[in-house]
Amino acid sequence: MVGESYYTRMCLIADLLWIVSFWASASSNIIVSGSEGEDVILPCIVKYKEEFSYHDLFVRWKTDENTFVQLFFYGDYQKQQQNDIFKERTELFYKEFPKGNLSLLLHNVQTSDTGIYECLVITQKYRYTMKTELLVQGKVNAFTNETSAVNVSAIVLISSVLMGLIVFLRRKKRSRGSTGSTSEKKPKHTVQDRRQTGKVKKR
């Protein structure tokens, strides 16, 4: 399903959860959070008290609603008992089993995956149980983001056009005012012009 480098990276992350797992098991459930569409690791780390054997190992991951997430026993995965909503989305770190790493890698998590998951590990002589709470946050709608961006751009554009129109109308109004005042002004007559006009009238 995934490349070797990806699997190795996930194994390293699971190893880092070792200490956290033991600390949390002594106090309360571990809380793992992720965003919709991401891959998450639900830790399950045990310390064997006897010699490890793949054939004697029983691993069961289930939800608090008794939905089977992943099953492993008799040295193999029991996919026929896995719930359909988890098929092709789960992996266990098979090579890490001898180290006590029974963590679950859950691909492409959905908000519906939110809940409590229980890891049950049974060996020839011992039984281990560990619970993890998964919180999945939904993604922000990409269409909503694009629509918001378009709306902002439209508002900016409309505002610019309106401002330009207002400035244009103001300048046009001022231009009309100055033209009207110039045409309405009467020509000024000098004293000499008035005298000449009087002489014409007398004749």
Side-chain angles (χ1 to χ4, degrees):
M1 184 181 292
V2 294
E4 186 66 25
S5 60
Y6 177 83
Y7 180 85
T8 303
R9 187 166 64 255
M10 291 297 104
C11 286
L12 290 174
I13 294 174
D15 287 340
L16 291 174
L17 292 170
W18 182 290
I19 298 176
V20 177
S21 301
F22 278 110
W23 175 82
S25 61
S27 54
S28 59
N29 295 342
I30 293 176
I31 298 178
V32 175
S33 59
S35 297
E36 199 172 24
E38 292 181 347
D39 297 346
V40 299
I41 294 177
L42 306 182
C44 182
I45 310 296
V46 301
K47 189 174 182 180
Y48 302 121
K49 298 178 181 179
E50 76 270 36
E51 186 176 351
F52 174 79
S53 169
Y54 276 102
H55 188 269
D56 295 332
L57 181 67
F58 175 92
V59 182
R60 183 195 68 193
W61 275 95
K62 72 179 187 68
T63 67
D64 55 349
E65 298 177 349
N66 290 321
T67 302
F68 288 163
V69 180
Q70 184 69 283
L71 285 166
F72 179 93
F73 54 87
Y74 295 138
D76 201 359
Y77 295 99
Q78 307 300 321
K79 295 183 179 181
Q80 69 277 7
Q81 298 188 40
Q82 185 182 34
N83 191 281
D84 290 341
I85 62 175
F86 291 107
K87 284 186 177 180
E88 305 300 328
R89 293 177 56 214
T90 60
E91 286 186 65
L92 297 177
F93 301 93
Y94 184 83
K95 295 179 181 179
E96 298 287 308
F97 285 3
K99 299 178 183 178
N101 183 2
L102 293 312
S103 301
L104 176 73
L105 174 60
L106 183 57
H107 296 283
N108 189 26
V109 293
Q110 305 299 313
T111 53
S112 57
D113 294 331
T114 296
I116 296 177
Y117 291 73
E118 181 187 80
C119 171
L120 172 65
V121 180
I122 301 175
T123 61
Q124 193 172 9
K125 297 180 181 180
Y126 298 95
R127 176 190 180 100
Y128 311 86
T129 303
M130 185 174 180
K131 291 185 177 181
T132 302
E133 183 177 0
L134 174 62
L135 302 175
V136 182
Q137 298 178 350
K139 281 186 177 180
V140 178
N141 194 315
F143 176 76
T144 303
N145 283 344
E146 289 178 3
T147 304
S148 300
V150 170
N151 289 340
V152 172
S153 300
I155 291 172
V156 172
L157 179 61
I158 292 171
S159 301
S160 301
V161 172
L162 288 175
M163 288 296 294
L165 183 60
I166 291 170
V167 172
F168 172 76
L169 291 175
R170 284 181 178 176
R171 288 181 178 176
K172 190 173 182 181
K173 188 175 181 181
R174 289 176 184 174
S175 176
R176 284 181 178 177
S178 357
T179 306
S181 59
T182 304
S183 60
E184 289 175 1
K185 286 182 181 179
K186 294 181 179 180
K188 293 181 180 179
H189 297 284
T190 62
V191 177
Q192 186 177 357
D193 291 337
R194 289 177 182 175
R195 288 177 180 174
Q196 290 178 357
T197 304
K199 289 180 181 180
V200 171
K201 285 181 179 181
K202 286 180 182 181
R203 290 178 186 175

